[in-house]
Amino acid sequence: MLLLLVVLLAGLGMSILTGVFARQSNGYNGFPLDDPWIHLQFAKNLHDYGAYSYFKNDMVTSGSTSPLYTLLLSLGFFVTRDEMILSYILGIGFLLAGGFFLFRTVVGDVNDYLMAAAAALLMLLEPHLLWIALSGMETTLFIALTLASLYYYKRRQPVMLGICTGLLVWTRPEGLVLPAALAVDLLYHTYALSAGKERKKRKDLKPSPAWIKNALVICAALCILYAGFNLWLSGTFFPNTLAAKMKYYGSLGRDFDKQVWGFFTGRHLAFFWFMAALGAAGVVANVLKRKASPELVPLLFSLGLLSAYWITLPVFYQEGRYLMPVLPFFIILGIYGIRLLVSGLTRFAPSLKHIQFAGLILVLFFIYQFAHDAWNGRAAYAEACQYIGRRQVLAGHWLHDHLPGNAVIATHDVGAIAYYSDRRIVDMVGLISPDMIPNIGSLDRLRSFLIAKRATHLAVLRNWFEIDNQPLLFHTDEDHPEILDITAFDRSRTHFVPQNATRTRDAAQYYYAMGDYRQAGAVLQQALNEDPGSSRTHYLIAKTLLALGRTDDAEKEFNNTLMLYPGFAGAQTGLAEVALRRNQPSDAIAKLEQALKTDPEDPESYRLLASIYREFQIDSTKADEYAARYNELRARKPE
């Protein structure tokens, strides 16, 4: 047990070091994902209002994929209101619990404490698992329950097995894969082993699977309760998050097989994957020979979970978090592969000395690789936390501080924005709003949905939903990718730009930047055909026409821009440029002053005013004032 304690302390130490590094780097605690706040929002309302809801006590929905984890968080709120510390404690605690059960399972399989300690240490130092343990997600709870289920299955403890497998489904619906893998393993080891010799070796096996009956009853009861819980909340057997993600992300999967391959063979797994492949081959060989194989469940579960995602949700994102529960079983197969390699060398080259020592060196090499990558991964974790903090968390606080309490926020990132804004949320991708799911993929139906839900504001990432014909109330730093915009939602004016039109317009802007105005104009016309309701496209066409010297046509397009969006200061500035080209400085000044009434902080208007007042020798003092204001605005950092 001392060896196990050392291993657990090593895992705890690396987890703490990773979290502390992120805290010191960013100046605050954070999560590398937005999803944790979904669990926290449900848990907070369950604790505060006794309702499984997403807004106080009147937005009840099965929007949490993991009801068990949400319940644990709600209980944790009785101890602390610090959502970060609470989530860290649960995430790390379940990771350590998983390491404990992995150690005990390997000891039971091979009776080798060193190999068991190596397996547990590799799991606790696995960089992906350290990342997810500090992410505020339910993944380490899921992992701990899978390993506990495997342990109690091998120990033939049906009551604990039934409880763990049932709770596994309450943690994530794909937990059903593990009972299926256990069933196949039980039938194989009960009926398919070679007669006589193998059965004498395996006296612990009973001639029938009757011992598992109580486990089946308990697991089935918990699964029925789970289905009833979701049916009661949202009218489906599974959480509506499952259907929403399948519909939204299912069509976005690209190169899933290559990404999965890279996940299991890259970085610290660059050599270890070979040992896992050797272990998997050893399991297959045992099955073909109808021999006992303690590692059959890890192989079946790994293949089953990968297949489930490949069929239903072939999307690799968020560091591959959906694949992370496979990693402990991948490590078990890798340890088995090392044992096969050492035993094979011992059998075929008995004259070689120190083979067992070479096996130990190989294990230490893998531990070093995992630990080294985990240490270097601290920076990546800190950067991911900063990324979420500068967008969703910042937006949530802004919404809380600047909007009235009855504001209704439509967003596709419903985690931190809901948690910190304390405002009612309208979910644009259906994670917490099952009635949105049929509308996914249609901007017209999305608009109707938002109107029906009485949305007052939008908080969206620009590359997910580009909002046009509306002024920005707030946006995150434009110097970094994925800008989050906040606008008012006006049912008569707010315009969603289709993504294909956005891509076409982006291509046109490339040509414009290169000085190829004719090609830019042709591509912009294509974007306009795809989406005639975008004021921004009309504006860019006007700018292109102005660059080509087509002043009258440019003026028409600037006016078209203002018809769609009267508050577009850039269009007023453009009309001022038209007036200047016609040598009408007074008209240009009037238009620029009108632009400043619309947007008092438009730097381009001040630049042009300074230029006009100076070049036409109207008022040098005003020219200096406008120039100073322009420089002040240009120097101002984004909020």
Side-chain angles (χ1 to χ4, degrees):
M1 291 303 294
L2 179 60
L3 185 60
L4 174 59
L5 180 60
V6 170
V7 168
L8 295 178
L9 287 175
L12 175 62
M14 186 61 81
S15 298
I16 292 174
L17 286 173
T18 302
V20 168
F21 181 86
R23 168 78 187 192
Q24 292 176 340
S25 300
N26 300 331
Y28 52 84
N29 290 322
F31 296 133
L33 304 168
D34 181 62
D35 297 45
W37 284 282
I38 298 178
H39 296 305
L40 286 163
Q41 180 73 355
F42 276 108
K44 181 177 68 172
N45 290 335
L46 183 60
H47 174 273
D48 293 348
Y49 301 101
Y52 200 82
S53 63
Y54 209 66
F55 180 72
K56 298 184 178 179
N57 60 351
D58 62 352
M59 194 174 171
V60 177
T61 174
S62 64
S64 171
T65 311
S66 182
L68 177 60
Y69 185 69
T70 299
L71 175 61
L72 293 174
L73 285 171
S74 69
L75 294 175
F77 277 128
F78 284 103
V79 180
T80 176
R81 297 293 294 192
D82 189 319
E83 71 279 9
M84 300 292 178
I85 298 301
L86 173 60
S87 300
Y88 293 157
I89 290 173
L90 290 179
I92 296 172
F94 288 125
L95 179 66
L96 297 178
F100 170 84
F101 283 111
L102 179 60
F103 177 89
R104 296 296 299 271
T105 299
V106 175
V107 167
D109 286 343
V110 302
N111 196 29
D112 186 331
Y113 283 87
L114 286 177
M115 278 297 182
L121 188 57
L122 287 172
M123 175 188 159
L124 296 178
L125 296 179
E126 213 291 326
H128 295 104
L129 298 184
L130 285 168
W131 188 90
I132 202 67
L134 294 165
S135 72
M137 295 301 291
E138 77 283 354
T139 308
T140 55
L141 170 60
F142 186 83
I143 288 171
L145 286 170
T146 57
L147 292 169
S149 298
L150 180 61
Y151 172 74
Y152 290 120
Y153 169 74
K154 289 177 177 290
R155 291 288 296 267
R156 303 297 172 85
Q157 297 184 19
V159 173
M160 290 303 300
L161 173 61
I163 292 173
C164 288
T165 52
L167 293 180
L168 190 61
V169 178
W170 277 83
T171 305
R172 290 198 65 85
E174 60 268 35
L176 288 168
V177 172
L178 184 65
L182 295 177
V184 173
D185 180 84
L186 181 66
L187 293 173
Y188 170 78
H189 282 98
T190 302
Y191 297 115
L193 291 183
S194 300
K197 185 177 180 180
E198 281 295 325
R199 291 195 180 280
K200 289 178 181 178
K201 288 181 180 178
R202 304 274 297 183
K203 291 180 181 179
D204 57 321
L205 281 173
K206 296 182 179 181
S208 75
W211 70 270
I212 208 170
K213 180 177 65 176
N214 289 338
L216 287 174
V217 171
I218 295 171
C219 179
L222 288 172
C223 289
I224 291 171
L225 287 173
Y226 172 77
F229 176 77
N230 291 310
L231 194 64
W232 171 58
L233 290 176
S234 294
T236 58
F237 290 117
F238 293 102
N240 39 264
T241 50
L242 181 64
K245 288 190 175 182
M246 286 174 62
K247 183 161 185 179
Y248 189 83
Y249 291 107
S251 61
L252 302 179
R254 298 290 185 275
D255 299 323
F256 184 67
D257 53 343
K258 295 179 182 178
Q259 292 175 320
V260 170
W261 174 257
F263 181 79
F264 288 106
T265 61
R267 293 167 43 186
H268 57 290
L269 299 174
F271 298 102
F272 188 81
W273 76 266
F274 179 76
M275 294 295 104
L278 182 61
V283 174
V284 172
N286 288 337
V287 170
L288 293 175
K289 296 175 183 177
R290 297 176 64 186
K291 296 172 62 176
S293 184
E295 292 77 17
L296 179 57
V297 172
L299 180 60
L300 290 173
F301 176 75
S302 300
L303 294 176
L305 199 64
L306 289 173
S307 299
Y309 282 119
W310 206 313
I311 293 169
T312 61
L313 195 63
V315 179
F316 185 93
Y317 77 130
Q318 295 179 337
E319 295 291 315
R321 69 178 176 91
Y322 291 139
L323 305 181
M324 291 180 189
V326 171
L327 289 170
F329 298 92
F330 190 75
I331 290 169
I332 292 175
L333 292 172
I335 292 295
Y336 181 48
I338 294 172
R339 291 174 50 239
L340 286 177
L341 179 63
V342 171
S343 63
L345 291 174
T346 303
R347 187 182 310 113
F348 293 109
S351 60
L352 293 177
K353 298 180 180 180
H354 308 303
I355 290 178
Q356 296 291 336
F357 181 73
L360 177 60
I361 294 298
L362 185 60
V363 169
L364 291 175
F365 168 72
F366 289 132
I367 291 174
Y368 167 77
Q369 276 198 313
F370 278 51
H372 182 265
D373 207 43
W375 180 261
N376 291 336
R378 295 171 305 141
Y381 171 78
E383 184 178 349
C385 291
Q386 183 186 79
Y387 180 88
I388 297 297
R390 287 181 172 179
R391 287 163 183 78
Q392 286 85 348
V393 173
L394 186 62
H397 286 298
W398 188 93
L399 291 164
H400 179 272
D401 295 340
H402 293 84
L403 295 189
N406 62 351
V408 180
I409 315 301
T411 182
H412 52 79
D413 280 336
V414 298
I417 286 174
Y419 191 85
Y420 293 115
S421 72
D422 197 28
R423 301 295 185 269
R424 181 183 292 275
I425 295 295
V426 176
D427 179 15
M428 298 170 67
V429 294
L431 295 180
I432 60 169
S433 303
D435 46 342
M436 173 59 204
I437 296 174
N439 304 317
I440 292 175
S442 170
L443 293 178
D444 290 337
R445 291 200 298 270
L446 171 61
R447 169 184 290 278
S448 299
F449 176 77
L450 297 183
I451 292 172
K453 293 293 184 179
R454 301 187 179 184
T456 61
H457 293 81
L458 296 165
V460 294
L461 289 172
R462 197 174 294 177
N463 60 315
W464 281 45
F465 293 96
E466 183 188 350
I467 309 301
D468 209 345
N469 305 350
Q470 278 287 93
L472 287 178
L473 301 178
F474 173 84
H475 64 82
T476 56
D477 190 350
E478 290 190 331
D479 292 334
H480 295 82
E482 289 203 315
I483 302 156
L484 194 146
D485 294 331
I486 296 176
T487 71
F489 177 68
D490 183 338
R491 66 176 64 191
S492 63
R493 190 177 299 283
T494 301
H495 178 69
F496 292 101
V497 181
Q499 289 190 346
N500 60 325
T502 298
R503 287 190 291 267
T504 303
R505 195 178 61 214
D506 288 345
Q509 288 180 280
Y510 167 78
Y511 290 116
Y512 186 93
M514 298 296 291
D516 190 348
Y517 302 122
R518 293 190 182 278
Q519 183 63 29
V523 177
L524 281 169
Q525 188 59 50
Q526 180 183 343
L528 190 63
N529 293 337
E530 294 171 349
D531 178 33
S534 168
S535 62
R536 195 170 288 123
T537 301
H538 283 281
Y539 170 74
L540 291 173
I541 289 176
K543 293 285 287 184
T544 303
L545 291 170
L546 199 61
L548 290 170
R550 296 168 57 182
T551 307
D552 292 344
D553 292 332
E555 183 180 32
K556 291 178 182 177
E557 284 300 328
F558 282 130
N559 284 322
N560 286 337
T561 302
L562 291 170
M563 286 179 62
L564 292 169
Y565 175 17
F568 200 138
Q572 291 283 4
T573 304
L575 288 173
E577 290 190 54
V578 170
L580 282 176
R581 294 200 179 196
R582 293 171 176 167
N583 199 29
Q584 299 171 343
S586 58
D587 188 22
I589 289 173
K591 290 184 177 350
L592 289 170
E593 288 175 345
Q594 180 62 38
L596 288 176
K597 289 180 182 178
T598 303
D599 183 2
E601 297 192 349
D602 176 39
E604 186 64 12
S605 296
Y606 288 105
R607 185 189 70 79
L608 281 173
L609 280 169
S611 176
I612 294 170
Y613 273 91
R614 183 173 290 110
E615 291 181 13
F616 287 88
Q617 299 181 357
I618 299 173
D619 188 330
S620 60
T621 302
K622 275 195 172 183
D624 292 340
E625 290 175 358
Y626 285 132
R629 181 62 173 152
Y630 166 75
N631 291 327
E632 177 189 346
L633 290 170
R634 292 289 295 175
R636 183 182 299 173
K637 296 289 185 182
E639 288 185 282

